[in-house]
Amino acid sequence: MFSKILIANRGEIALRVLRACRELGIKTVAVHSTADEDAMHVRLADEAVCIGPPAARDSYLNVAAILSAATITGAEAIHPGYGFLSENADFAETVEAHGLTFIGPTAEHIRMMGDKITAKTTMEALGVPLVPGSDGELKSLDEARAVAAQVGYPVLIKATAGGGGRGMKVAHDASEIEEAWSVARTEARTAFGNDAVYLEKYLDKPRHIELQILGDNYGNVVHFGERDCSLQRRHQKLLEEAGSPAITPDQRNAIGKTVTDALSKMGYRNAGTLEFLYQDGQFCFIEMNTRLQVEHPVTEMVCDVDLVREQIRLAAGEKLGYTQSDVTFSGHAIECRINAEDPDTFAPCPGTVAVYHAPGGLGVRIDSALYTGYKVPPYYDSMIAKVIVHAPTRAEAIARMHRALDEFVVEGIKTVIPLHRRILADPEFQKGDYTIHWLEQFTARPH
Ligand code: ADP
């Protein structure tokens, strides 16, 4: 086991990793920008190293500074959290080349899944079902037209290097294909420096359902069931649940087996998430995230597992030590992402937190790096807290989340807590009756 880990991240996820390290008796090194000198992850870590100015490209994405910090402090491994360098295959490779352990999958698998066409063809060959669409990259507009006619409109043109919902355009009928093709390519070139695109049938009422997996270095892979992340705004998740209100335990077991068989054949190691669109009883793979996800706590609550602890153990070369039948599911969990944003316009609202009081009580977990007097910097992601609840049933989890949000006090900045309250009170949400389009329609309703 490692004796010291550097956490290459900030905010709540840096704390999350730090807590797992503490419980394992592992010393922690925080890295931070000059904007984060007073941040909680810096205060709680055993050691802290300033790695640059506020802009993420000069600090949290500054590979040389992070590696120097690891060398100076004698850290043996680096946990990247999510975002920043977590899905950067070159970073993973560089870390390993310096004799340190990257807590995550191999650089080869990160690279493979970072290219969505490669990810899809790999998964298809391993028996994972896909959204119908082009066989890899579209070479021309004519090919786009031909494939669209074959799978049927509406269709989606997507960037192979895409992320965060960028480089994605819908064509509702043949008259829109040319524009979708050129806009998606232009966006992809500008945002990712790679204009390769592919085509998928646009599903009109899917849910976003993803499967959490863990693999060790010896070919053992287990899944921890699904998360329903259909509540999204501009492709950004806002509220997540485990399990999904839409699928049965039999469906979970079936897709879980398909996925674990595939990843075991691949020799995938550490944590990963396979994202699917689910519609009319069918799972269609869209992408794989080769890292820990923001919404991992809902899985932890229903499976009673510490996924970060597992990541660290597995990266240290330990075996999983359990099989699929040892993974059990209990009750229901919901996570609300609390962003420092105006709840109506979604404009970011950085600033000083005048008063902070976190909710507590049975079945309530808060993952946050906030405190009274903390100044939310304008440079980074607007998510400032996650409220996670666990209860025996979904209805009880909804009631518990209501209660927790009522107790939550964050003054001085605007947050999306009022929006979460409205979602939780909505009869359609309460019935579990929603798709990936529901939230956009809901937020457009007058209230
Ligand atoms: P990104 O990496 O940019 O997040 P994804 O492929 O994960 O891209 O897609 C992001 C979101 O876009 C999905 O969660 C879903 O809401 C929507 N989406 C993606 N593919 C389709 C599709 N074929 N049909 C309908 N919606 C889609």
Side-chain angles (χ1 to χ4, degrees):
M1 184 47 79
F2 310 111
S3 52
K4 197 186 270 188
I5 290 177
L6 181 141
I7 303 164
N9 217 300
R10 65 181 300 280
E12 68 87 20
I13 197 62
L15 279 193
R16 170 69 192 87
V17 176
L18 187 148
R19 286 172 173 147
C21 291
R22 275 278 149 82
E23 292 178 17
L24 286 165
I26 299 170
K27 292 260 183 276
T28 54
V29 180
V31 292
H32 65 93
S33 71
T34 50
D36 276 342
E37 264 157 17
D38 297 324
M40 199 59 128
H41 75 284
V42 175
R43 295 185 179 195
L44 292 186
D46 295 298
E47 287 167 85
V49 181
C50 182
I51 49 166
R57 66 172 181 279
D58 300 321
S59 51
Y60 297 102
L61 294 172
N62 184 342
V63 174
I66 291 169
L67 283 171
S68 308
T71 310
I72 293 163
T73 55
E76 299 149 26
I78 298 187
H79 195 302
Y82 53 67
F84 294 133
L85 295 166
S86 61
E87 289 181 296
N88 184 321
D90 293 341
F91 177 65
E93 226 157 49
T94 310
V95 168
E96 302 266 331
H98 281 73
L100 305 171
T101 302
F102 177 79
I103 302 178
T106 60
E108 181 202 351
H109 285 152
I110 298 174
R111 200 164 279 133
M112 185 185 266
M113 295 304 156
D115 181 280
K116 295 184 174 196
I117 291 176
T118 313
K120 287 185 70 165
T121 44
T122 306
M123 287 301 166
E124 186 176 32
L126 292 168
V128 178
L130 307 182
V131 189
S134 61
D135 204 5
E137 184 183 344
L138 288 173
K139 295 282 185 283
S140 65
L141 175 58
D142 282 343
E143 191 188 349
R145 283 189 211 284
V147 182
Q150 192 195 329
V151 300
Y153 284 94
V155 296
L156 197 56
I157 306 223
K158 299 170 82 170
T160 185
R166 281 177 306 169
M168 221 189 295
K169 281 287 161 266
V170 186
H172 294 94
D173 54 51
S175 74
E176 293 181 1
I177 191 90
E178 185 167 356
E179 190 176 346
W181 156 263
S182 72
V183 173
R185 283 175 29 117
T186 307
E187 244 182 65
R189 195 181 312 122
T190 319
F192 313 110
N194 173 356
D195 66 4
V197 293
Y198 60 105
L199 183 146
E200 276 179 2
K201 184 166 182 61
Y202 179 73
L203 303 177
D204 59 343
K205 48 178 176 35
R207 301 181 79 107
H208 172 119
I209 297 182
E210 56 186 35
L211 257 89
Q212 174 71 54
I213 67 94
L214 281 180
D216 64 17
N217 301 355
Y218 315 95
N220 303 302
V221 180
V222 295
H223 73 84
F224 291 85
E226 80 286 2
R227 296 185 283 261
D228 196 318
C229 309
S230 304
L231 293 194
Q232 304 180 356
R233 207 192 136 265
R234 300 215 173 135
H235 304 299
Q236 299 295 319
K237 298 163 186 168
L238 190 72
L239 179 154
E240 303 97 348
E241 312 192 51
S244 168
I247 76 163
T248 63
D250 283 348
Q251 288 173 299
R252 168 192 298 155
N253 293 339
I255 190 70
K257 172 136 182 35
T258 304
V259 161
T260 48
D261 284 352
L263 293 185
S264 164
K265 271 187 221 142
M266 250 176 82
Y268 189 85
R269 64 179 213 204
N270 217 272
T273 297
L274 281 92
E275 297 191 334
F276 294 89
L277 293 178
Y278 175 83
Q279 182 173 314
D280 305 323
Q282 300 290 320
F283 282 94
C284 303
F285 171 80
I286 48 170
E287 69 165 334
M288 178 167 186
N289 293 316
T290 51
R291 56 171 165 84
L292 186 69
Q293 293 204 241
V294 174
E295 59 274 22
H296 75 276
V298 288
T299 300
E300 296 190 319
M301 304 319 282
V302 296
C303 293
D304 193 18
V305 60
D306 180 336
L307 290 170
V308 179
R309 178 193 172 101
E310 293 302 283
Q311 282 193 291
I312 295 170
R313 253 191 356 95
L314 297 171
E318 290 187 17
K319 288 195 169 153
L320 265 180
Y322 42 82
T323 61
Q324 193 59 53
S325 57
D326 297 314
V327 178
T328 54
F329 302 90
S330 142
H332 193 88
I334 301 178
E335 171 180 278
C336 287
R337 298 190 189 196
I338 311 299
N339 300 331
E341 290 170 4
D342 183 293
D344 293 314
T345 65
F346 301 99
C349 286
T352 302
V353 179
V355 182
Y356 177 74
H357 173 81
L362 182 64
V364 176
R365 163 177 170 183
I366 308 297
D367 280 20
S368 173
L370 283 196
Y371 56 85
T372 293
Y374 176 70
K375 213 165 158 190
V376 178
Y379 312 106
Y380 313 108
D381 193 84
S382 63
M383 195 184 74
I384 49 169
K386 305 187 304 206
V387 181
I388 305 109
V389 297
H390 185 215
T393 64
R394 183 169 185 270
E396 288 162 291
I398 292 173
R400 184 160 283 167
M401 183 61 88
H402 255 301
R403 187 274 286 169
L405 294 182
D406 284 348
E407 283 178 29
F408 207 177
V409 181
V410 185
E411 283 176 10
I413 55 170
K414 287 184 186 169
T415 75
V416 294
I417 291 175
L419 171 61
H420 279 300
R421 283 221 190 85
R422 285 201 293 128
I423 294 171
L424 294 165
D426 184 86
E428 280 169 357
F429 172 77
Q430 291 182 353
K431 276 191 260 153
D433 188 9
Y434 56 75
T435 70
I436 58 167
H437 305 299
W438 187 87
L439 184 62
E440 302 264 359
Q441 289 155 7
F442 179 79
T443 52
R445 283 186 214 161
H447 62 275

